[in-house]
């Protein structure tokens, strides 16, 4: 796992072989956005300690959606350190193991990528302490807001920190090179609509579920990519 500073003393990316998570600091209080795969807990704890921080200060784990490379270590970390797990109402039953993970409608070129993604260990059923809705306020980042961004999954969300200009897109948007619509969507049309909604927030920093964060000309790059994505 690689630990990458995005904003000094505020935001780090935790990059795994497939997918990534983000650690946000409010002083010593910590928020994790996504949680890597089911074998990531020790690496995440090690990353927290390497920054001189304490995993017992992990207050919440916000899941952008229900896929295995984002949910994996959430339950173990929450059980160990008392963090609350948050997920959108529509994805929460999948996170808890009550419903199956929704099958995407794959484009031909996505099929081998999807097969590779399935090499990630399955996420264990994970309790959800709070079910989120569009517009919900979260107590970190000087006022974070939930942005429902369906299409990748029904309960996919972005997390917007307007006072810091930071947007976590989950897998609605990816950045393998320039930003692009994320892959493996259950509904491509809704995913494009969500991409455009997220781009309209005009963040200065965009943090993706896959690909390096965007910190320069972010708003214009997202707007151009969203406008140019064909249905």
């Amino acid at each position: 796992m690689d630990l990458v500073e995005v904003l000094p003393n505020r935001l780090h990316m935790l990059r795994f072989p497939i997918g990534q998570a983000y650690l946000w600091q409010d002083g010593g209080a910590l928020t994790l956005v996504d949680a890597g795969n089911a074998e990531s807990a020790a690496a995440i704890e090690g990353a927290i300690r390497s920054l001189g921080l304490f995993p017992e200060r992990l207050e919440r784990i916000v899941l952008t959606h229900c896929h295995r490379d984002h949910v994996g270590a959430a339950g173990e970390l929450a059980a160990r350190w008392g963090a609350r797990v948050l997920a959108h109402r529509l994805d929460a039953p999948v996170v808890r193991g009550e419903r199956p993970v929704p099958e995407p409608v794959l484009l031909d070129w996505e099929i081998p990528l999807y097969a590779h993604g399935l090499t990630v260990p399955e996420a264990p059923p994970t309790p959800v302490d709070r079910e989120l809705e569009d517009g919900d306020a979260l107590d970190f980042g000087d006022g974070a807001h939930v942005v429902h961004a369906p299409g990748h999954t029904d309960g996919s969300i972005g997390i917007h920190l307007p006072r810091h200009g930071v947007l976590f897109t989950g897998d609605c948007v990816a950045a393998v090179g320039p930003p692009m619509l994320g892959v493996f969507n259950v509904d491509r049309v809704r995913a494009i609509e969500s991409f455009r909604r997220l781009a309209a927030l005009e963040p200065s920093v965009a943090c993706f579920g896959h690909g390096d964060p965007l910190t320069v000309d972010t708003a214009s790059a997202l707007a151009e990519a969203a406008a140019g994505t064909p249905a």
Side-chain angles (χ1 to χ4, degrees):
M1 186 201 76
D2 296 325
L3 181 63
V4 180
E5 183 180 77
V6 182
L7 295 175
N9 301 314
R10 278 290 192 178
L11 178 60
H12 286 79
M13 178 177 69
L14 290 69
R15 181 164 51 204
F16 307 99
I18 295 178
Q20 51 218 28
Y22 294 90
L23 183 69
W24 179 267
Q25 300 172 232
D26 288 302
L30 305 176
T31 296
L32 197 61
V33 178
D34 290 326
N37 64 61
E39 299 174 349
S40 299
I44 292 171
E45 290 181 18
I48 290 171
R49 294 187 190 280
S50 76
L51 295 169
L53 303 170
F54 302 96
E56 55 264 35
R57 296 296 307 278
L58 182 61
E59 295 187 353
R60 66 190 64 77
I61 302 169
V62 185
L63 302 176
T64 61
H65 62 289
C66 61
H67 285 161
R68 61 178 69 184
D69 55 326
H70 295 258
V71 173
E76 182 175 348
L77 291 169
R80 188 172 297 178
W81 302 112
R84 302 180 74 228
V85 176
L86 290 65
H88 190 274
R89 171 179 55 82
L90 296 176
D91 271 17
V94 182
V95 174
R96 290 192 295 258
E98 298 166 358
R99 295 181 186 171
V101 177
E103 291 292 332
V105 179
L106 297 174
L107 303 175
D108 288 344
W109 63 269
E110 293 179 329
I111 293 173
L113 295 176
Y114 187 66
H116 179 59
L118 293 179
T119 63
V120 173
E122 287 191 28
T126 299
V128 175
D129 299 292
R130 177 179 173 186
E131 295 189 6
L132 301 173
E133 297 284 358
D134 184 56
D136 280 354
L138 305 180
D139 190 20
F140 75 98
D142 298 302
H145 295 97
V146 175
V147 185
H148 189 205
H152 184 65
T153 65
D154 289 340
S156 287
I157 57 173
I159 303 296
H160 187 213
L161 279 56
R163 294 190 183 181
H164 297 275
V166 172
L167 176 66
F168 301 96
T169 72
D171 281 2
C172 179
V173 190
V176 183
M180 59 176 281
L181 182 72
V183 296
F184 314 151
N185 298 302
V186 299
D187 188 326
R188 180 179 174 87
V189 171
R190 294 187 78 195
I192 293 170
E193 293 171 352
S194 294
F195 188 0
R196 292 172 180 164
R197 184 183 185 199
L198 293 176
L201 297 172
E202 299 184 340
S204 55
V205 176
C207 297
F208 311 107
H210 299 270
D212 290 340
L214 190 58
T215 60
V216 177
D217 297 326
T218 303
S220 59
L222 288 177
E224 181 179 353
T229 302

